[in-house]
Amino acid sequence: MKRRVPDDAAGARLDRFLASLPEIGARGAAERLLASGAVRVDGAARAKSFKLAGGEEIEFEAPAQDETLVPEEMPLRLAWEDDHLLVVDKPAGIVVHPAPGHSSGTLVHGLLGHAAAGGEDDRPGIVHRLDRDTSGLMVVARSEEAHRRLQALVRRRELDRRYLALVVGRPRSRRGRIEAPIGRDRRDPLRQSLSTDAPRDAITHFEVVELLPRHALLDVRLETGRTHQIRVHLAAIDLPVAGDPVYGRPLELGLERQFLHAARLAFVHPFTGERVDTDSPLPADLAGTLERARDQRAAFAS
């Protein structure tokens, strides 16, 4: 869909102009379109704060705001559940919630059959996210109150999120803490970066699980949860995630996705005070890749 910016819109921010269009109609919807890279201004991606001059051609994919979410059959492993919330083990290759280009087949569509609820209408129950090609554990709300309380856990940094990441290279220490603000890259709005005009605090902890000849398996803990945080932070210390097509080493060891798996999720239940502690084993594709990385040990020794 294309729209020409009228002259009287000169000086307006891009996100506010998009929100004024009847096809979009809301600031949040406009921001999600921009974040997904589904907007072009004269053929180029722009930040949401980009100031329009008038006369530009804006191309975008209108969100399906009026479509009602319909439950879809989806084989999902539930690692834990009760009346208030559930912990789902997300497979790789599945987008978490509807977005431009993904109006069906998302995790949200599969979760509707498990009474996910609370939060925004187009992403009921979603408290935090995983990238499409990152597998593993997510907590999901089953009511508005559960969603509010789980979000409070996230804000207080009381959601213990642990990932297994296979990185290229060898860490200089057995454990470390990366504190480096990240945000949308100054030159490429589809990437997150330390080089940004909108930095947000970001803290990542890591510990070596296994050293291999050319790789290392890390246990990574998120203290904050910024978009692509682990991938950006590890690349920044010269330990790119194996298979990462954006920040790391695509096709490393034959990988078709980044070697990043949300292996453990723990928190205090916001209603009962019970400790919820869940684990997810490495999926078959990542387990096979890890064995190939280990096999290099024999080849390296010979």
Side-chain angles (χ1 to χ4, degrees):
M1 186 170 292
K2 295 180 180 180
R3 288 289 182 271
R4 183 72 62 180
V5 178
D7 291 339
D8 60 8
R13 284 170 51 117
L14 176 58
D15 56 351
R16 290 172 182 164
F17 175 75
L18 287 171
S20 72
L21 298 176
E23 298 88 353
I24 299 176
R27 184 81 171 271
E31 290 182 350
R32 289 194 289 273
L33 279 177
L34 289 162
S36 68
V39 179
R40 291 290 184 271
V41 180
D42 288 337
R46 299 292 186 184
K48 66 180 183 180
S49 59
F50 179 75
K51 292 294 181 65
L52 298 167
E56 297 96 335
E57 182 180 75
I58 296 183
E59 186 173 358
F60 61 94
E61 183 176 345
Q65 293 178 309
D66 296 328
E67 293 185 5
T68 301
L69 289 173
V70 177
E72 297 179 18
E73 287 291 330
M74 190 177 296
L76 294 174
R77 184 181 85 87
L78 300 184
W80 197 94
E81 66 174 318
D82 70 1
D83 291 341
H84 301 288
L85 54 89
L86 58 87
V87 177
V88 62
D89 199 343
K90 185 186 89 69
I94 294 180
V95 175
V96 169
H97 55 70
H102 300 281
S103 59
S104 63
T106 73
L107 183 66
V108 159
H109 290 88
L111 287 171
L112 288 174
H114 296 279
E120 298 183 42
D121 291 341
D122 62 346
R123 54 190 76 182
I126 301 302
V127 178
H128 62 110
R129 291 174 289 178
L130 295 176
D131 297 334
R132 181 189 65 186
D133 290 327
T134 297
S135 52
L137 300 169
M138 292 175 53
V139 63
V140 178
R142 280 179 155 168
S143 69
E144 195 66 52
E145 180 62 16
H147 189 274
R148 186 186 68 78
R149 295 191 188 193
L150 287 169
Q151 281 199 318
L153 285 182
V154 173
R155 286 194 300 271
R156 296 196 302 266
R157 302 182 182 182
E158 294 175 359
L159 200 64
D160 187 2
R161 289 170 282 179
R162 305 284 181 127
Y163 295 73
L164 287 174
L166 186 72
V167 297
V168 182
R170 295 171 70 87
R172 291 186 287 271
S173 61
R174 295 291 304 184
R175 59 182 57 84
R177 179 178 189 270
I178 308 167
E179 183 172 359
I182 62 176
R184 196 175 304 283
D185 186 85
R186 288 191 176 98
R187 293 175 294 278
D188 184 351
L190 300 183
R191 291 169 56 98
Q192 301 295 306
S193 171
L194 275 63
S195 176
T196 177
D197 293 322
R200 302 181 69 189
D201 291 344
I203 302 172
T204 304
H205 303 262
F206 71 87
E207 184 171 354
V208 174
V209 175
E210 185 175 355
L211 282 176
L212 302 164
R214 298 179 179 89
H215 304 85
L217 183 65
L218 304 182
D219 177 347
V220 182
R221 179 173 66 85
L222 283 177
E223 186 169 328
T224 57
R226 309 305 180 198
T227 301
H228 299 173
Q229 178 177 315
I230 292 174
R231 299 158 64 190
V232 172
H233 270 178
L234 291 177
I237 61 171
D238 298 321
L239 293 173
V241 175
D244 186 343
V246 179
Y247 309 100
R249 295 280 291 272
L251 304 179
E252 180 79 9
L253 294 167
L255 280 162
E256 297 182 357
R257 64 170 174 117
Q258 63 259 16
F259 193 120
L260 190 59
H261 178 66
R264 182 183 175 206
L265 181 63
F267 54 94
V268 174
H269 195 293
F271 288 87
T272 68
E274 171 190 1
R275 179 74 176 174
V276 178
D277 200 333
T278 57
D279 294 282
S280 170
L282 275 178
D285 63 329
L286 299 189
T289 298
L290 182 57
E291 287 305 313
R292 289 194 294 276
R294 287 169 175 157
D295 288 343
Q296 291 182 337
R297 181 183 290 125
F300 191 75
S302 63

Short mmCIF file of all heavy atoms in Angstrom, two decimals, residues 3-24:
data_model
loop_
_atom_site.label_atom_id
_atom_site.label_comp_id
_atom_site.label_asym_id
_atom_site.label_seq_id
_atom_site.Cartn_x
_atom_site.Cartn_y
_atom_site.Cartn_z
N ARG A 3 1.17 5.67 0.03
CA ARG A 3 0.54 6.96 0.32
C ARG A 3 1.57 8.07 0.09
O ARG A 3 2.75 7.93 0.43
CB ARG A 3 0.05 7.02 1.77
CG ARG A 3 -1.16 6.17 2.06
CD ARG A 3 -2.41 6.75 1.42
NE ARG A 3 -3.59 5.95 1.72
CZ ARG A 3 -4.00 4.92 0.99
NH1 ARG A 3 -3.31 4.56 -0.08
NH2 ARG A 3 -5.08 4.25 1.33
N ARG A 4 1.10 9.17 -0.49
CA ARG A 4 1.95 10.35 -0.67
C ARG A 4 1.75 11.27 0.52
O ARG A 4 0.62 11.56 0.92
CB ARG A 4 1.59 11.07 -1.96
CG ARG A 4 2.44 12.28 -2.30
CD ARG A 4 3.84 11.88 -2.73
NE ARG A 4 3.85 11.06 -3.94
CZ ARG A 4 4.96 10.60 -4.50
NH1 ARG A 4 6.14 10.90 -3.96
NH2 ARG A 4 4.91 9.85 -5.58
N VAL A 5 2.84 11.74 1.12
CA VAL A 5 2.76 12.63 2.27
C VAL A 5 2.33 14.02 1.80
O VAL A 5 3.01 14.62 0.96
CB VAL A 5 4.11 12.72 3.00
CG1 VAL A 5 4.01 13.69 4.18
CG2 VAL A 5 4.55 11.35 3.48
N PRO A 6 1.22 14.55 2.30
CA PRO A 6 0.78 15.88 1.86
C PRO A 6 1.72 16.96 2.39
O PRO A 6 2.40 16.78 3.40
CB PRO A 6 -0.62 16.01 2.46
CG PRO A 6 -0.61 15.09 3.63
CD PRO A 6 0.28 13.94 3.26
N ASP A 7 1.73 18.09 1.71
CA ASP A 7 2.62 19.18 2.10
C ASP A 7 2.32 19.68 3.51
O ASP A 7 3.23 20.11 4.24
CB ASP A 7 2.50 20.34 1.10
CG ASP A 7 3.07 19.99 -0.27
OD1 ASP A 7 3.88 19.04 -0.34
OD2 ASP A 7 2.69 20.64 -1.25
N ASP A 8 1.05 19.61 3.91
CA ASP A 8 0.72 20.14 5.24
C ASP A 8 1.17 19.21 6.37
O ASP A 8 1.00 19.53 7.54
CB ASP A 8 -0.78 20.45 5.35
CG ASP A 8 -1.66 19.23 5.14
OD1 ASP A 8 -1.12 18.11 5.05
OD2 ASP A 8 -2.89 19.40 5.05
N ALA A 9 1.73 18.05 6.02
CA ALA A 9 2.27 17.15 7.03
C ALA A 9 3.77 17.35 7.24
O ALA A 9 4.40 16.61 8.00
CB ALA A 9 2.00 15.69 6.66
N ALA A 10 4.33 18.35 6.57
CA ALA A 10 5.76 18.63 6.72
C ALA A 10 6.10 18.89 8.19
O ALA A 10 5.39 19.64 8.88
CB ALA A 10 6.14 19.84 5.87
N GLY A 11 7.17 18.26 8.66
CA GLY A 11 7.60 18.42 10.04
C GLY A 11 7.06 17.37 10.99
O GLY A 11 7.51 17.26 12.13
N ALA A 12 6.09 16.56 10.51
CA ALA A 12 5.50 15.53 11.37
C ALA A 12 6.46 14.34 11.50
O ALA A 12 7.20 14.01 10.57
CB ALA A 12 4.17 15.06 10.81
N ARG A 13 6.42 13.70 12.66
CA ARG A 13 7.18 12.46 12.83
C ARG A 13 6.53 11.34 12.01
O ARG A 13 5.31 11.31 11.84
CB ARG A 13 7.19 12.04 14.31
CG ARG A 13 8.12 12.83 15.19
CD ARG A 13 7.87 12.51 16.65
NE ARG A 13 7.89 11.07 16.93
CZ ARG A 13 8.76 10.46 17.73
NH1 ARG A 13 9.72 11.18 18.32
NH2 ARG A 13 8.70 9.15 17.95
N LEU A 14 7.35 10.44 11.55
CA LEU A 14 6.86 9.35 10.72
C LEU A 14 5.82 8.50 11.46
O LEU A 14 4.78 8.16 10.90
CB LEU A 14 8.03 8.47 10.26
CG LEU A 14 7.68 7.22 9.45
CD1 LEU A 14 6.89 7.58 8.20
CD2 LEU A 14 8.96 6.46 9.09
N ASP A 15 6.09 8.14 12.72
CA ASP A 15 5.15 7.28 13.43
C ASP A 15 3.80 7.96 13.64
O ASP A 15 2.74 7.33 13.53
CB ASP A 15 5.73 6.79 14.76
CG ASP A 15 6.17 7.92 15.69
OD1 ASP A 15 6.20 9.10 15.26
OD2 ASP A 15 6.50 7.63 16.85
N ARG A 16 3.83 9.27 13.91
CA ARG A 16 2.57 9.98 14.13
C ARG A 16 1.79 10.12 12.84
O ARG A 16 0.55 10.05 12.83
CB ARG A 16 2.85 11.34 14.76
CG ARG A 16 3.33 11.22 16.21
CD ARG A 16 3.78 12.52 16.80
NE ARG A 16 4.27 12.33 18.16
CZ ARG A 16 4.99 13.20 18.82
NH1 ARG A 16 5.30 14.36 18.26
NH2 ARG A 16 5.40 12.94 20.06
N PHE A 17 2.48 10.33 11.73
CA PHE A 17 1.79 10.41 10.45
C PHE A 17 1.14 9.07 10.11
O PHE A 17 -0.03 9.01 9.69
CB PHE A 17 2.75 10.82 9.34
CG PHE A 17 2.13 10.81 7.97
CD1 PHE A 17 1.26 11.82 7.58
CD2 PHE A 17 2.37 9.77 7.09
CE1 PHE A 17 0.66 11.80 6.32
CE2 PHE A 17 1.78 9.74 5.84
CZ PHE A 17 0.92 10.76 5.45
N LEU A 18 1.89 7.98 10.32
CA LEU A 18 1.33 6.66 10.04
C LEU A 18 0.09 6.40 10.90
O LEU A 18 -0.91 5.85 10.42
CB LEU A 18 2.38 5.59 10.29
CG LEU A 18 3.51 5.48 9.28
CD1 LEU A 18 4.58 4.52 9.78
CD2 LEU A 18 2.99 5.02 7.92
N ALA A 19 0.16 6.77 12.17
CA ALA A 19 -0.96 6.54 13.08
C ALA A 19 -2.20 7.31 12.64
O ALA A 19 -3.33 6.91 12.97
CB ALA A 19 -0.58 6.92 14.50
N SER A 20 -2.02 8.41 11.91
CA SER A 20 -3.16 9.21 11.45
C SER A 20 -3.86 8.61 10.24
O SER A 20 -4.97 9.02 9.90
CB SER A 20 -2.69 10.64 11.11
OG SER A 20 -1.92 10.64 9.90
N LEU A 21 -3.23 7.64 9.59
CA LEU A 21 -3.83 7.04 8.41
C LEU A 21 -4.95 6.08 8.83
O LEU A 21 -4.78 5.30 9.77
CB LEU A 21 -2.78 6.29 7.60
CG LEU A 21 -1.63 7.14 7.04
CD1 LEU A 21 -0.61 6.24 6.34
CD2 LEU A 21 -2.16 8.19 6.07
N PRO A 22 -6.07 6.08 8.13
CA PRO A 22 -7.18 5.21 8.51
C PRO A 22 -6.84 3.73 8.42
O PRO A 22 -7.41 2.91 9.14
CB PRO A 22 -8.29 5.58 7.53
CG PRO A 22 -7.60 6.26 6.39
CD PRO A 22 -6.41 6.94 6.98
N GLU A 23 -5.88 3.37 7.57
CA GLU A 23 -5.49 1.96 7.43
C GLU A 23 -4.71 1.47 8.65
O GLU A 23 -4.58 0.25 8.86
CB GLU A 23 -4.62 1.75 6.18
CG GLU A 23 -5.30 2.08 4.88
CD GLU A 23 -5.14 3.55 4.49
OE1 GLU A 23 -4.60 4.33 5.30
OE2 GLU A 23 -5.55 3.89 3.37
N ILE A 24 -4.18 2.40 9.44
CA ILE A 24 -3.38 2.02 10.61
C ILE A 24 -4.11 2.43 11.88
O ILE A 24 -4.44 1.61 12.73
CB ILE A 24 -1.98 2.63 10.53
CG1 ILE A 24 -1.27 2.09 9.28
CG2 ILE A 24 -1.18 2.32 11.80
CD1 ILE A 24 0.07 2.67 9.03
#
